[in-house]
């Protein structure tokens, strides 16, 4: 069994590809897992929560599955629409516009790329966020 915070390399590699395309975004270790930031603001944070410490996540995974989740920001107007159906998107217990995505075989990486890009737009200075439209 891996230790809390460990994220499978294939998930990290996909997220590195996505976040590496965001102007001036950088990766760093977090208190658990890994996060990507713009300036001092977190865009996305991925980790394997300890089910004993975070029992709310335990019900989302089978007994033989290692949980992996990512938190990110969404525009406030999009929060309810994204989280209303529940799994794989849940409202985080903190922050007014923070979503938890449960990652796994079901993950739609195209959708997740769009959501991470939107999180960047929420957190980045306006002049950097504006550069995204010129990268397409």
């Amino acid at each position: 069994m891996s230790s809390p915070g460990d994220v499978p390399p294939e998930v990290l590699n996909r997220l590195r590809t996505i976040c590496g395309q965001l102007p001036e975004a950088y990766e760093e270790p977090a208190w658990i897992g890994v996060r990507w930031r713009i300036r001092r603001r977190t865009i996305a944070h991925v980790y394997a929560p300890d089910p004993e410490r975070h029992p709310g996540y335990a019900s989302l995974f089978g007994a033989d599955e290692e949980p992996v989740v990512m938190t990110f920001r969404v525009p406030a107007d999009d929060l309810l629409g994204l989280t209303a159906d529940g799994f794989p998107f849940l409202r985080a217990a903190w922050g007014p516009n923070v979503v938890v995505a449960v990652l796994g075989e079901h993950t739609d990486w195209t959708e997740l790329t769009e959501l991470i890009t939107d999180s960047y737009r929420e957190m980045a200075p306006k002049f950097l966020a504006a550069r995204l439209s010129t990268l397409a």
Side-chain angles (χ1 to χ4, degrees), residues 5 7 22-23 32 34 40 47 63 67 79 92 100 104 109 122:
V7 177
L22 302 171
I32 183 172
V34 176
R40 299 179 74 182
Y47 59 99
L79 182 65
V100 177
W109 288 96
E122 286 289 302

Side-chain angles (χ1 to χ4, degrees), residues 28 63 91 95 103 110:
E28 69 179 15
R91 186 168 184 176
L103 305 180
T110 300

Side-chain angles (χ1 to χ4, degrees), residues 36-73:
W36 286 267
R37 303 185 94 186
I38 179 63
R39 305 290 164 93
R40 299 179 74 182
R41 297 172 146 194
T42 300
I43 302 162
H45 177 200
V46 64
Y47 59 99
D50 179 349
E52 290 181 22
R53 187 170 176 215
H54 301 98
Y57 293 133
S59 66
L60 302 173
F61 299 93
D64 60 340
E65 281 184 281
E66 295 279 334
V68 176
V69 299
M70 183 184 77
T71 59
F72 58 96
R73 306 274 178 165

